[in-house]
Amino acid sequence: MKTLVKLEITRTLRNKKFVFFSVLYPAVLYLLIAGGASNAELVEGTKLTLPLLMMVSMASFGAITAVLVGNSEKIAKEREKGWVRQLRLTALPGRGYVAAKVASASVVSLPAILAVFAIAAVVKGVRLDAAWQWAALVGSIWAGSIVFAALGVAIGYLASGDAVRPVTFIIYFALSILGGLWMPTTTFPDWLQSIAKWTPTHAYAALGQAIEVGDAPHLKDVGLLVAYLVLFAGCAAWLYRKDTRKA
């Protein structure tokens, strides 16, 4: 399994287009959305300024890009080319294959998070009250991305090589917009806000937003992410076994 993890990480880093898209794209979006915003004016319905709010949102968006888009497309294409079938002939367990995918995606998701934070601190002058908040933000966003890594694995086994990209991007953009990663959910109509609060992306961003104001993450958000992780991982495991029986 260690050999496969190293191979996956090497392959990921060699894909310069994917690394650029995953690492720099969220940072550029952050500047476009929050570049002209004030560091003193609070976003309505929150305790955060727009630069602070969008820093967590775009860091979360970047992590999702790495683990969701990367995993789903790789797995679907490897199934189509027969690579997954070849791996099943080895002693590698199914969980080892999934772990390798998550590990390789995490290598890119961490720089994506750090890039947004660096841009926010240097360009927008974003500051937090305590040093621990920066470490807690990185840790919570990085750890929370596992939920979307599991979703990426599930999509990779659900969709074919030709269909995986549009399916992934529909889910990816829908969750990002509805979860408030591109704009505060306080700008949504009341009925849409009620729906948005139950999405995994909303709970994911809420972890970092709580840390930014010096609070502990809300149990509802943590519980919601755990529930989604169980759901996505369960779907991925079921689809993997189904794909194995077909092979």
Side-chain angles (χ1 to χ4, degrees), residues 23-104:
V23 176
L24 296 184
Y25 177 49
V28 171
L29 275 181
Y30 174 79
L31 288 176
L32 290 175
I33 297 172
S38 170
N39 280 326
E41 185 178 351
L42 298 180
V43 175
E44 184 179 355
T46 74
K47 300 178 182 179
L48 299 168
T49 63
L50 188 62
L52 272 171
L53 186 71
M54 295 312 299
M55 182 178 77
V56 163
S57 295
M58 286 298 104
S60 301
F61 179 68
I64 293 172
T65 302
V67 299
L68 175 59
V69 177
N71 271 342
S72 61
E73 291 195 21
K74 280 184 183 178
I75 291 173
K77 290 177 180 178
E78 287 175 359
R79 286 173 54 225
E80 195 172 64
K81 294 177 180 178
W83 173 239
V84 176
R85 187 182 299 111
Q86 291 297 318
L87 288 176
R88 289 198 181 102
L89 299 177
T90 70
L92 179 73
R95 63 180 181 277
Y97 176 79
V98 174
K101 292 299 181 186
V102 173
S104 63

Side-chain angles (χ1 to χ4, degrees), residues 22-223:
S22 301
V23 176
L24 296 184
Y25 177 49
V28 171
L29 275 181
Y30 174 79
L31 288 176
L32 290 175
I33 297 172
S38 170
N39 280 326
E41 185 178 351
L42 298 180
V43 175
E44 184 179 355
T46 74
K47 300 178 182 179
L48 299 168
T49 63
L50 188 62
L52 272 171
L53 186 71
M54 295 312 299
M55 182 178 77
V56 163
S57 295
M58 286 298 104
S60 301
F61 179 68
I64 293 172
T65 302
V67 299
L68 175 59
V69 177
N71 271 342
S72 61
E73 291 195 21
K74 280 184 183 178
I75 291 173
K77 290 177 180 178
E78 287 175 359
R79 286 173 54 225
E80 195 172 64
K81 294 177 180 178
W83 173 239
V84 176
R85 187 182 299 111
Q86 291 297 318
L87 288 176
R88 289 198 181 102
L89 299 177
T90 70
L92 179 73
R95 63 180 181 277
Y97 176 79
V98 174
K101 292 299 181 186
V102 173
S104 63
S106 297
V107 168
V108 180
S109 68
L110 182 57
I113 297 167
L114 296 177
V116 173
F117 284 2
I119 292 295
V122 175
V123 178
K124 288 299 298 176
V126 168
R127 299 292 182 267
L128 298 175
D129 294 335
W132 68 264
Q133 290 172 291
W134 290 105
L137 280 175
V138 173
S140 64
I141 295 174
W142 199 18
S145 67
I146 295 174
V147 176
F148 302 95
L151 176 59
V153 174
I155 295 173
Y157 279 104
L158 179 65
S160 65
D162 292 332
V164 67
R165 179 165 292 186
V167 169
T168 299
F169 274 87
I170 288 172
I171 295 173
Y172 166 65
F173 285 118
L175 286 178
S176 297
I177 296 170
L178 188 57
L181 299 187
W182 284 20
M183 64 190 76
T185 55
T186 52
T187 62
F188 294 173
D190 290 341
W191 66 269
L192 190 56
Q193 288 187 44
S194 300
I195 296 173
K197 288 178 182 178
W198 294 98
T199 61
T201 38
H202 184 277
Y204 184 39
L207 296 181
Q209 290 165 8
I211 293 171
E212 282 185 320
V213 297
D215 296 336
H218 299 154
L219 289 177
K220 176 190 173 183
D221 296 320
V222 175

